[in-house]
PDB file of all heavy atoms in Angstrom:
ATOM      1  N   ALA A 563    -102.298 166.445  36.317  1.00  0.00           N
ATOM      2  CA  ALA A 563    -102.951 165.246  35.925  1.00  0.00           C
ATOM      3  C   ALA A 563    -103.822 165.567  34.733  1.00  0.00           C
ATOM      4  O   ALA A 563    -104.365 166.646  34.567  1.00  0.00           O
ATOM      5  CB  ALA A 563    -103.902 164.777  37.083  1.00  0.00           C
ATOM      6  N   PRO A 564    -103.956 164.617  33.766  1.00  0.00           N
ATOM      7  CA  PRO A 564    -104.746 164.826  32.528  1.00  0.00           C
ATOM      8  C   PRO A 564    -106.234 164.974  32.879  1.00  0.00           C
ATOM      9  O   PRO A 564    -106.711 164.511  33.898  1.00  0.00           O
ATOM     10  CB  PRO A 564    -104.479 163.527  31.735  1.00  0.00           C
ATOM     11  CG  PRO A 564    -104.105 162.527  32.748  1.00  0.00           C
ATOM     12  CD  PRO A 564    -103.366 163.203  33.825  1.00  0.00           C
ATOM     13  N   LEU A 565    -106.893 165.739  32.027  1.00  0.00           N
ATOM     14  CA  LEU A 565    -108.311 165.857  32.198  1.00  0.00           C
ATOM     15  C   LEU A 565    -109.067 164.574  32.123  1.00  0.00           C
ATOM     16  O   LEU A 565    -108.664 163.679  31.421  1.00  0.00           O
ATOM     17  CB  LEU A 565    -108.824 166.862  31.157  1.00  0.00           C
ATOM     18  CG  LEU A 565    -108.350 168.301  31.229  1.00  0.00           C
ATOM     19  CD1 LEU A 565    -108.881 169.102  30.038  1.00  0.00           C
ATOM     20  CD2 LEU A 565    -108.675 168.970  32.518  1.00  0.00           C
ATOM     21  N   SER A 566    -110.174 164.529  32.835  1.00  0.00           N
ATOM     22  CA  SER A 566    -111.019 163.258  32.728  1.00  0.00           C
ATOM     23  C   SER A 566    -111.547 163.163  31.296  1.00  0.00           C
ATOM     24  O   SER A 566    -111.984 164.102  30.721  1.00  0.00           O
ATOM     25  CB  SER A 566    -112.133 163.401  33.726  1.00  0.00           C
ATOM     26  OG  SER A 566    -113.134 162.490  33.478  1.00  0.00           O
ATOM     27  N   PRO A 567    -111.584 161.900  30.839  1.00  0.00           N
ATOM     28  CA  PRO A 567    -112.133 161.757  29.476  1.00  0.00           C
ATOM     29  C   PRO A 567    -113.633 161.953  29.436  1.00  0.00           C
ATOM     30  O   PRO A 567    -114.249 162.053  28.434  1.00  0.00           O
ATOM     31  CB  PRO A 567    -111.848 160.269  29.167  1.00  0.00           C
ATOM     32  CG  PRO A 567    -111.709 159.635  30.502  1.00  0.00           C
ATOM     33  CD  PRO A 567    -111.089 160.672  31.419  1.00  0.00           C
ATOM     34  N   ARG A 568    -114.309 162.096  30.628  1.00  0.00           N
ATOM     35  CA  ARG A 568    -115.767 162.325  30.643  1.00  0.00           C
ATOM     36  C   ARG A 568    -116.108 163.735  31.183  1.00  0.00           C
ATOM     37  O   ARG A 568    -117.187 164.207  30.835  1.00  0.00           O
ATOM     38  CB  ARG A 568    -116.411 161.325  31.611  1.00  0.00           C
ATOM     39  CG  ARG A 568    -116.544 159.981  31.004  1.00  0.00           C
ATOM     40  CD  ARG A 568    -117.843 159.899  30.208  1.00  0.00           C
ATOM     41  NE  ARG A 568    -117.850 158.606  29.538  1.00  0.00           N
ATOM     42  CZ  ARG A 568    -118.796 158.265  28.660  1.00  0.00           C
ATOM     43  NH1 ARG A 568    -119.708 159.120  28.312  1.00  0.00           N
ATOM     44  NH2 ARG A 568    -118.826 157.053  28.037  1.00  0.00           N
ATOM     45  N   VAL A 569    -115.256 164.379  31.940  1.00  0.00           N
ATOM     46  CA  VAL A 569    -115.632 165.639  32.503  1.00  0.00           C
ATOM     47  C   VAL A 569    -114.605 166.706  32.118  1.00  0.00           C
ATOM     48  O   VAL A 569    -113.411 166.563  32.425  1.00  0.00           O
ATOM     49  CB  VAL A 569    -115.705 165.540  34.100  1.00  0.00           C
ATOM     50  CG1 VAL A 569    -116.077 166.882  34.677  1.00  0.00           C
ATOM     51  CG2 VAL A 569    -116.659 164.453  34.495  1.00  0.00           C
ATOM     52  N   ARG A 570    -115.060 167.750  31.544  1.00  0.00           N
ATOM     53  CA  ARG A 570    -114.175 168.861  31.257  1.00  0.00           C
ATOM     54  C   ARG A 570    -114.076 169.741  32.451  1.00  0.00           C
ATOM     55  O   ARG A 570    -115.058 170.092  33.122  1.00  0.00           O
ATOM     56  CB  ARG A 570    -114.729 169.722  30.103  1.00  0.00           C
ATOM     57  CG  ARG A 570    -114.772 168.995  28.713  1.00  0.00           C
ATOM     58  CD  ARG A 570    -115.159 169.911  27.687  1.00  0.00           C
ATOM     59  NE  ARG A 570    -115.258 169.212  26.408  1.00  0.00           N
ATOM     60  CZ  ARG A 570    -115.474 169.816  25.282  1.00  0.00           C
ATOM     61  NH1 ARG A 570    -115.669 171.100  25.206  1.00  0.00           N
ATOM     62  NH2 ARG A 570    -115.569 169.087  24.185  1.00  0.00           N
ATOM     63  N   ARG A 571    -112.853 170.206  32.800  1.00  0.00           N
ATOM     64  CA  ARG A 571    -112.666 171.126  33.892  1.00  0.00           C
ATOM     65  C   ARG A 571    -111.459 171.976  33.682  1.00  0.00           C
ATOM     66  O   ARG A 571    -110.599 171.714  32.818  1.00  0.00           O
ATOM     67  CB  ARG A 571    -112.480 170.330  35.192  1.00  0.00           C
ATOM     68  CG  ARG A 571    -111.376 169.299  35.170  1.00  0.00           C
ATOM     69  CD  ARG A 571    -111.326 168.536  36.471  1.00  0.00           C
ATOM     70  NE  ARG A 571    -110.331 167.445  36.393  1.00  0.00           N
ATOM     71  CZ  ARG A 571    -109.043 167.608  36.595  1.00  0.00           C
ATOM     72  NH1 ARG A 571    -108.539 168.756  36.806  1.00  0.00           N
ATOM     73  NH2 ARG A 571    -108.216 166.505  36.533  1.00  0.00           N
ATOM     74  N   GLN A 572    -111.316 173.036  34.475  1.00  0.00           N
ATOM     75  CA  GLN A 572    -110.164 173.879  34.448  1.00  0.00           C
ATOM     76  C   GLN A 572    -108.950 173.072  34.999  1.00  0.00           C
ATOM     77  O   GLN A 572    -109.027 172.305  35.867  1.00  0.00           O
ATOM     78  CB  GLN A 572    -110.347 175.093  35.289  1.00  0.00           C
ATOM     79  CG  GLN A 572    -111.412 176.058  34.733  1.00  0.00           C
ATOM     80  CD  GLN A 572    -110.813 176.987  33.723  1.00  0.00           C
ATOM     81  OE1 GLN A 572    -109.632 177.078  33.558  1.00  0.00           O
ATOM     82  NE2 GLN A 572    -111.664 177.638  32.921  1.00  0.00           N
ATOM     83  N   ARG A 573    -107.795 173.389  34.414  1.00  0.00           N
ATOM     84  CA  ARG A 573    -106.565 172.812  35.011  1.00  0.00           C
ATOM     85  C   ARG A 573    -106.331 173.396  36.361  1.00  0.00           C
ATOM     86  O   ARG A 573    -106.501 174.565  36.601  1.00  0.00           O
ATOM     87  CB  ARG A 573    -105.351 173.126  34.094  1.00  0.00           C
ATOM     88  CG  ARG A 573    -105.350 172.287  32.811  1.00  0.00           C
ATOM     89  CD  ARG A 573    -104.135 172.679  31.988  1.00  0.00           C
ATOM     90  NE  ARG A 573    -102.905 172.573  32.704  1.00  0.00           N
ATOM     91  CZ  ARG A 573    -102.179 171.480  32.708  1.00  0.00           C
ATOM     92  NH1 ARG A 573    -102.592 170.396  32.045  1.00  0.00           N
ATOM     93  NH2 ARG A 573    -101.018 171.427  33.336  1.00  0.00           N
ATOM     94  N   GLU A 574    -105.954 172.544  37.305  1.00  0.00           N
ATOM     95  CA  GLU A 574    -105.702 172.915  38.640  1.00  0.00           C
ATOM     96  C   GLU A 574    -104.293 173.550  38.788  1.00  0.00           C
ATOM     97  O   GLU A 574    -103.364 173.173  38.100  1.00  0.00           O
ATOM     98  CB  GLU A 574    -105.829 171.768  39.590  1.00  0.00           C
ATOM     99  CG  GLU A 574    -107.269 171.192  39.548  1.00  0.00           C
ATOM    100  CD  GLU A 574    -107.370 170.022  40.502  1.00  0.00           C
ATOM    101  OE1 GLU A 574    -106.291 169.552  40.995  1.00  0.00           O
ATOM    102  OE2 GLU A 574    -108.503 169.480  40.635  1.00  0.00           O
ATOM    103  N   GLY A 575    -104.159 174.528  39.658  1.00  0.00           N
ATOM    104  CA  GLY A 575    -102.854 175.154  39.854  1.00  0.00           C
ATOM    105  C   GLY A 575    -103.050 176.539  40.393  1.00  0.00           C
ATOM    106  O   GLY A 575    -104.155 177.099  40.413  1.00  0.00           O
ATOM    107  N   SER A 576    -101.856 177.084  40.812  1.00  0.00           N
ATOM    108  CA  SER A 576    -101.982 178.427  41.415  1.00  0.00           C
ATOM    109  C   SER A 576    -102.052 179.535  40.384  1.00  0.00           C
ATOM    110  O   SER A 576    -102.331 180.676  40.671  1.00  0.00           O
ATOM    111  CB  SER A 576    -100.733 178.626  42.316  1.00  0.00           C
ATOM    112  OG  SER A 576     -99.560 178.500  41.523  1.00  0.00           O
ATOM    113  N   GLU A 577    -101.761 179.215  39.056  1.00  0.00           N
ATOM    114  CA  GLU A 577    -101.739 180.269  38.070  1.00  0.00           C
ATOM    115  C   GLU A 577    -102.858 179.900  37.044  1.00  0.00           C
ATOM    116  O   GLU A 577    -102.665 179.081  36.195  1.00  0.00           O
ATOM    117  CB  GLU A 577    -100.383 180.256  37.336  1.00  0.00           C
ATOM    118  CG  GLU A 577     -99.256 180.650  38.303  1.00  0.00           C
ATOM    119  CD  GLU A 577     -97.909 180.634  37.564  1.00  0.00           C
ATOM    120  OE1 GLU A 577     -97.859 181.256  36.484  1.00  0.00           O
ATOM    121  OE2 GLU A 577     -97.051 179.975  37.993  1.00  0.00           O
ATOM    122  N   PRO A 578    -103.960 180.519  37.147  1.00  0.00           N
ATOM    123  CA  PRO A 578    -105.119 180.162  36.266  1.00  0.00           C
ATOM    124  C   PRO A 578    -104.859 180.485  34.832  1.00  0.00           C
ATOM    125  O   PRO A 578    -105.555 179.942  33.960  1.00  0.00           O
ATOM    126  CB  PRO A 578    -106.265 180.988  36.844  1.00  0.00           C
ATOM    127  CG  PRO A 578    -105.614 182.184  37.511  1.00  0.00           C
ATOM    128  CD  PRO A 578    -104.324 181.633  38.039  1.00  0.00           C
TER     129      PRO A 578
END
Side-chain angles (χ1 to χ4, degrees):
L565 295 177
S566 164
R568 284 276 175 186
V569 181
R570 295 186 182 185
R571 55 181 174 82
Q572 291 276 347
R573 286 177 56 88
E574 298 176 352
S576 58
E577 298 177 51

